[in-house]
Amino acid sequence: MATGYAELLRARHAMRLLTGTLIGRLPNATAPLAIVLFTRAEGGGYTLAGVLSAVYGLATAVGQPLLGRLVDLYGQPRVMFTGASLSALGMALFALVGIDPVPLAAVSVLIAGLFTPPLEGGLRALWPSVLKGPDRVHRAYALDAVAQEVMFAAGPLLVTLLVAFGNEAAALLVINALGVLGALWVVLSPPSRAWRSDPREAHWLGALRSAGLLALLGSFFFVGLALGSIAVAAVSYADDHGEALISSYLLSALGFGALIGGVVYGARNWAGVPERRLVWLVFALAAGYLPLMLVPGVAAMTALAGLSGVFLAPALACAFVVVDRHAPSGTVTEAFSWLVTTFGVGAAAGTAVVGPVIEWGGDAAGFSVAGAGGVAALCVLLLTGRALAGAGTRTGTVAVEGLAAGPGHVSAPVTGAENDRNGAAEPGFRTGRQA
């Protein structure tokens, strides 16, 4: 297992791209907490802190696919570095002016979120050119998913340390300065400077004209909803058990489970159709969320939380492969960015929905939102099997057989297809340039 990952990281530029991307994404991983801490330190209430965090989150959700499309059109260095710089300037303005006047504070975090560079999608677009070979790329996707878990665990800790040794404004400035340096480290690398998107057809929908991608986004909206609801339900569970740290136990266990699952998943080569494998992984993910509704004692609940996370990183890693297969030619960065956006919007929806549910039915009802989200994600995949079967296979009957035939069976690709980089013709679109 370790040998496979060591071989991957020894590939030229691989370690630089991975670490640079993680550092560059620190502002995004820590912004919700940093904004809340700074707002409170400036005398603002939790309502204002929540509103400003929501503005940042919504702006990021809008900006990621838009910047991803610009990356596909103009390359990584210009878009990524410019975006990182403008995002950092927005957060620096927020740290400078504080929360008074509130409209200026809102504009500051809006700029910071809107121009957050799509480093996550950009890294996944680079892996094929850096690693050479589908098995190594799939392993890199798994390692990427694991690294995210580490970053989202370590990022808030870094914010807390910066606040302890400095103050909240310093935390905002340092984190965003690191983000710019991380983005710069990535875009100055030879793979980033040399990368060019495949030729693309001009179309206002961009990556969203792929029916398979839309199906995947619909499913992972509900996966995000499940995770967002667990974060809030864990806090409620901790309050009911009289110890605030219990929520951190549960969320840490979930992250540790995802880390273990991702490492194991990426350590082996997988045969067969990834779309079919994704259905089974989301099925296992949903099955892991359902027992949380039992809300047993703290020790058992922590174990259940760890179990619920085991299939998260594998499902994400497999989803990255499916995105790459379904993204229309020349839209791969945008497609990956849409997955990031949809997942984040789903998480925000989960945090919004679960609060009233907990007030109505208690902790068990709160965790049932996660279970329902997992089941809904699975249902979307099952109901859209024909669309998901279209990548790399003939459309129509043969495509469905390619998905249902099981491991080892892949239908013959259609040659000369115009929209799918893997050979799948997208019905309903003309060849040639379109407005």
Side-chain angles (χ1 to χ4, degrees):
M1 182 186 297
T3 303
Y5 285 113
E7 178 190 4
L8 186 153
L9 292 175
R10 281 197 300 268
R12 191 179 182 192
H13 307 301
M15 180 65 81
R16 173 177 180 171
L17 292 173
L18 182 62
T19 55
T21 298
L22 291 175
I23 294 171
R25 291 180 58 215
L26 272 175
N28 185 236
T30 59
L33 175 61
I35 289 172
V36 169
L37 291 177
F38 179 74
T39 302
R40 292 291 294 153
E42 291 290 299
Y46 283 109
T47 299
L48 177 59
V51 168
L52 292 176
S53 293
V55 168
Y56 178 90
L58 290 173
T60 303
V62 172
Q64 288 289 291
L66 294 178
L67 292 176
R69 182 176 295 193
L70 291 177
V71 168
D72 288 326
L73 289 171
Y74 302 111
Q76 292 195 0
R78 281 188 291 174
V79 179
M80 296 286 198
F81 181 66
T82 302
S85 300
L86 290 174
S87 178
L89 287 174
M91 202 60 85
L93 179 62
F94 180 52
L96 179 66
V97 303
I99 59 173
D100 188 18
V102 171
L104 183 56
V107 169
S108 301
V109 297
L110 176 70
I111 293 172
L114 190 62
F115 289 100
T116 297
L119 289 166
E120 188 174 351
L123 175 64
R124 290 164 196 155
L126 290 176
W127 282 136
S129 63
V130 172
L131 298 177
K132 311 294 185 185
D135 291 338
R136 299 178 78 190
V137 172
H138 296 178
R139 183 171 291 122
Y141 286 156
L143 183 61
D144 187 2
V146 168
Q148 285 188 67
E149 297 299 327
V150 175
M151 181 189 66
F152 277 93
L157 176 61
L158 177 59
V159 171
T160 304
L161 291 175
L162 288 172
V163 170
F165 288 99
N167 55 47
E168 290 77 8
L172 284 172
L173 294 173
V174 171
I175 289 291
N176 282 271
L178 289 174
V180 173
L181 292 177
L184 186 62
W185 183 240
V186 170
V187 301
L188 289 180
S189 68
S192 180
R193 288 187 287 114
W195 182 85
R196 293 295 181 271
S197 177
D198 290 340
R200 63 182 285 149
E201 292 186 49
H203 195 284
W204 70 276
L205 280 175
L208 295 182
R209 69 181 185 267
S210 166
L213 179 62
L214 290 175
L216 183 72
L217 296 180
S219 176
F220 273 77
F221 169 84
F222 289 108
V223 174
L225 183 145
L227 280 179
S229 66
I230 287 176
V232 178
V235 174
S236 174
Y237 178 88
D239 287 344
D240 287 347
H241 286 74
E243 177 55 66
L245 284 177
I246 291 175
S247 62
S248 65
Y249 301 158
L250 299 184
L251 297 178
S252 296
L254 190 150
F256 182 73
L259 189 152
I260 296 299
V263 168
V264 173
Y265 175 82
R268 62 164 292 180
N269 297 327
W270 296 89
V273 184
E275 289 84 0
R276 186 171 187 266
R277 184 164 66 250
L278 181 64
V279 172
W280 286 105
L281 288 170
V282 173
F283 170 81
L285 187 64
Y289 289 149
L290 291 172
L292 295 174
M293 293 186 294
L294 299 175
V295 288
V298 174
M301 192 65 179
T302 302
L304 289 178
L307 181 64
S308 73
V310 167
F311 291 96
L312 176 60
L316 285 170
C318 190
F320 301 154
V321 177
V322 175
V323 168
D324 192 48
R325 284 163 57 84
H326 284 269
S329 179
T331 67
V332 63
T333 309
E334 179 189 344
F336 280 125
S337 299
W338 272 116
L339 181 62
V340 174
T341 285
T342 305
F343 194 83
V345 171
T351 59
V353 167
V354 74
V357 172
I358 291 172
E359 291 181 355
W360 168 74
D363 295 338
F367 284 108
S368 72
V369 174
V375 171
L378 176 62
C379 289
V380 170
L381 292 181
L382 293 175
L383 292 172
T384 58
R386 184 178 295 271
L388 282 169
T393 61
R394 297 183 188 276
T395 57
T397 305
V398 178
V400 177
E401 290 173 357
L403 182 60
H409 179 87
V410 182
S411 302
V414 178
T415 58
E418 294 294 330
N419 295 313
D420 195 317
R421 297 181 299 119
N422 302 283
E426 288 283 340
F429 296 99
R430 301 186 305 273
T431 60
R433 304 291 294 179
Q434 301 182 47

